[in-house]
Amino acid sequence: MKFVFRMDASIKMGGGHWLRCLALADTLLAKGHQVSFVYAESIPALLKRVEQRPIALFELSASRATERDARLTGELVRRESADWLILDGYHFDSSYRQVLSLSSGVRLLLIDDLNDSGPLYVDAVLNSTIYAEELSYSVSGNAFDSPCDLLLGPKYVLLPQAYYRVPVSDMAQRRYLFVNFGATDAAGLTLPALKMLNELGFRGDVCVVTGPAIKQHLDVSSLCRRYGYTHLHDLPDLRNVLAQSRLALTAAGSTLHELAFMGVPAVFLVVADNQLRSARCHQARGWCNWYDGRDAEGLRRAVTEIINWWNDKDELYKRATQACSLVDGHGAERVAEYLQQSR
């Protein structure tokens, strides 16, 4: 079968949509299928990751999420004789999806988080958030008013194939505070967070992982040397670091699913309104807390929480156990099986 992915990435929007598509693409490739990525905007480091795989890359000569974008994408999908088009991005609104559905002539899967962009005009929706079943998706939303399949909840979380489960009982041997603010750190939180950890006297091993498109990674590297922190840049996946991490200070983006799977309790910094619902729902499950990362007081409170939790092994073990119950790591396999069976 042939699968075409349509997504974008930038410093401002981050790389989360691109990376979760790559996780599903890797699973499809492993099953012998053909995969193409179509984009109007991306980041060189993310393009490099795709170029290392047998994935065809197509750059659109159109501004992203415009009618021209939709029509060009539809033409490309027909030319490639694709079986499915997989769409991931908040900027692909209802009008875009309607044009795309009519122009492509293939089945359309929307990877979504919020159900806040109008009529669906797709054949299936994948929403792996913890609150997905509360969003009241319509089951008849594509261009031809035929049934729309719903793949909802954390059982469909798209994780890289390389992940493996680390027993929660290993918590006592975990040494790191893991610090990461996504592929681009669009809010510029890495340097302020490290300075706050130092200012408030955090005492523990810190591992800072900067994403492939963060502009300040050389400044981060310099500060880490000064503070005695470990700094790693542009890792292909986070599993080895997370396996050694006792606690995490991160943004409340898609990395939270990797943390949950690996049983790493976390303090999250919300940097966008679209992260609020997810952060609140995960905090209610008892494995993490969140603070507003858009002001200095929120960052100070988050770091204070980190310091309070760091040496409380019983509390961390309890939270790690709660985290592991949320994500089982088989989401990409489930989605791939659905796509293979739904021609």
Side-chain angles (χ1 to χ4, degrees):
M1 296 177 69
K2 292 185 177 182
F3 299 90
V4 174
F5 289 78
R6 173 69 187 92
M7 66 288 171
D8 293 303
S10 70
I11 298 298
K12 184 176 181 180
M13 76 170 64
H17 301 286
W18 190 281
L19 291 173
R20 66 183 174 185
C21 284
L22 196 56
L24 178 56
D26 281 341
T27 300
L28 293 169
L29 288 170
K31 294 179 179 295
H33 301 298
Q34 297 180 49
V35 173
S36 300
F37 274 22
V38 182
Y39 66 98
E41 185 175 1
S42 190
I43 298 167
L46 294 179
L47 290 172
K48 183 178 179 180
R49 291 193 183 188
V50 177
E51 290 166 353
Q52 294 168 349
R53 295 163 164 83
I55 296 176
L57 271 170
F58 298 93
E59 182 177 5
L60 297 172
S61 58
S63 298
R64 69 186 190 202
T66 58
E67 182 175 344
R68 174 175 169 79
D69 169 342
R71 294 193 183 281
L72 288 176
T73 300
E75 291 172 7
L76 188 151
V77 167
R78 290 198 308 273
R79 190 168 65 247
E80 291 294 303
S81 301
D83 296 285
W84 277 94
L85 173 59
I86 299 164
L87 189 66
D88 190 352
Y90 298 137
H91 52 308
F92 300 127
D93 62 13
S94 182
S95 60
Y96 177 92
R97 296 194 298 265
Q98 184 178 26
V99 174
L100 188 58
S101 180
L102 291 168
S103 63
S104 68
V106 301
R107 292 173 66 82
L108 207 62
L109 170 68
L110 173 66
I111 302 179
D112 185 50
D113 297 323
L114 300 167
N115 191 26
D116 64 349
S117 60
L120 296 170
Y121 298 111
V122 298
D123 299 280
V125 173
L126 164 61
N127 183 330
S128 61
T129 64
I130 199 170
Y131 54 81
E133 295 185 9
E134 303 170 8
L135 293 180
S136 301
Y137 283 100
S138 170
V139 295
S140 57
N142 70 8
F144 309 102
D145 201 33
S146 59
C148 174
D149 294 330
L150 302 177
L151 286 65
L152 305 180
K155 68 184 289 187
Y156 295 108
V157 165
L158 301 174
L159 292 182
Q161 288 186 308
Y163 274 79
Y164 57 89
R165 177 76 72 190
V166 175
V168 181
S169 58
D170 288 348
M171 181 62 68
Q173 282 73 51
R174 298 188 185 190
R175 56 178 293 203
Y176 287 129
L177 168 66
F178 170 76
V179 179
N180 169 265
F181 292 100
T184 67
D185 188 13
L189 282 172
T190 304
L191 289 171
L194 299 183
K195 291 175 182 177
M196 188 68 72
L197 284 165
N198 183 69
E199 176 186 330
L200 297 185
F202 176 76
R203 296 292 178 264
D205 291 334
V206 177
C207 184
V208 184
V209 178
T210 46
I214 182 173
K215 291 182 177 180
Q216 310 93 345
H217 74 273
L218 295 178
D219 294 331
V220 171
S221 184
S222 176
L223 195 63
C224 285
R225 286 195 298 271
R226 177 180 168 189
Y227 293 160
Y229 299 163
T230 298
H231 175 225
L232 303 172
H233 179 64
D234 191 15
L235 297 181
D237 62 72
L238 302 173
R239 62 188 176 112
N240 289 329
V241 174
L242 295 184
Q244 302 176 65
S245 296
R246 184 189 308 180
L247 186 57
L249 176 64
T250 75
S254 57
T255 303
L256 67 82
H257 291 128
E258 297 170 68
L259 293 165
F261 176 75
M262 297 294 286
V264 182
V267 177
F268 293 117
L269 289 169
V270 167
V271 297
D273 288 344
N274 58 30
Q275 297 176 346
L276 281 169
R277 185 167 189 170
S278 177
R280 288 167 176 155
C281 288
H282 279 276
Q283 179 169 302
R285 293 298 183 97
W287 72 278
C288 61
N289 280 356
W290 70 272
Y291 295 94
D292 195 324
R294 293 167 288 192
D295 63 74
E297 183 57 30
L299 176 58
R300 179 176 291 273
R301 292 173 65 193
V303 171
T304 300
E305 188 89 275
I306 289 287
I307 293 170
N308 291 338
W309 285 4
W310 182 249
N311 290 313
D312 191 339
K313 299 293 198 306
D314 291 340
E315 178 68 16
L316 291 175
Y317 182 86
K318 180 180 71 175
R319 290 180 179 273
T321 303
Q322 288 293 107
C324 286
S325 69
L326 297 177
V327 179
D328 68 6
H330 300 296
E333 284 287 338
R334 293 189 180 99
V335 177
E337 288 298 322
Y338 165 79
L339 293 171
Q340 290 176 135
Q341 295 168 13
S342 305
R343 292 177 180 267

